[in-house]
Amino acid sequence: QYMKADIYEDKTRYNIDIDLPGFKKENIKVIYENGYLTVNAIKEELKELKDNYIRRERFYGEVKRNFYIGEKQEAEIKATYKDGILNISFPKEENNKKNSKIIKVE
């Protein structure tokens, strides 16, 4: 399973919209380290229906993707999850401070 993303900009910020339909917010992690954002999401299988399927096409498991965004202040990176779309927003300008931080998904 591959995370599909749209990347766009406005006057001061870049935005990444990532399709994550059916994922719970608490199972999505956004980690910023050494100029890279790593998005990791897990969709758990419904165990009570495991043996009763005739056909299975929906994805269950873990997906991960990295994006290089340059050096940023972690407080300026925002992540929100709504209607199956994770939006990550960060300023265009670079910061020279090295950072490593987990970004809270709101």
Side-chain angles (χ1 to χ4, degrees):
Q1 181 72 9
Y2 184 71
M3 286 187 208
K4 295 178 181 173
D6 292 337
I7 302 171
Y8 57 96
E9 63 181 309
D10 58 29
K11 290 183 180 180
T12 61
R13 298 179 73 80
Y14 290 112
N15 292 275
I16 304 172
D17 284 346
I18 303 170
D19 284 347
L20 291 172
F23 287 82
K24 294 180 181 177
K25 182 169 71 170
E26 57 269 17
N27 291 338
I28 299 171
K29 284 187 181 174
V30 179
I31 301 168
Y32 173 69
E33 186 172 26
N34 297 325
Y36 284 89
L37 279 176
T38 300
V39 178
N40 189 20
I42 298 172
K43 189 187 293 186
E44 297 173 357
E45 183 176 19
L46 299 173
K47 292 181 172 70
E48 64 272 7
L49 299 175
K50 190 174 186 178
D51 296 328
N52 298 332
Y53 286 101
I54 296 167
R55 182 182 188 125
R56 293 191 69 187
E57 295 181 351
R58 297 186 309 156
F59 171 79
Y60 294 96
E62 182 176 0
V63 291
K64 185 184 229 182
R65 188 161 179 194
N66 295 313
F67 299 90
Y68 181 75
I69 65 169
E71 297 302 325
K72 308 290 177 193
Q73 288 282 356
E74 68 270 5
E76 296 177 330
I77 303 170
K78 306 295 181 194
T80 57
Y81 182 66
K82 184 178 178 186
D83 298 331
I85 298 173
L86 175 66
N87 173 268
I88 304 169
S89 172
F90 52 92
K92 288 183 175 183
E93 68 277 354
E94 294 227 354
N95 186 305
N96 294 325
K97 184 180 173 189
K98 300 276 183 200
N99 296 304
S100 174
K101 169 123 175 148
I102 294 177
I103 308 301
K104 182 181 176 188
V105 177
E106 297 176 13

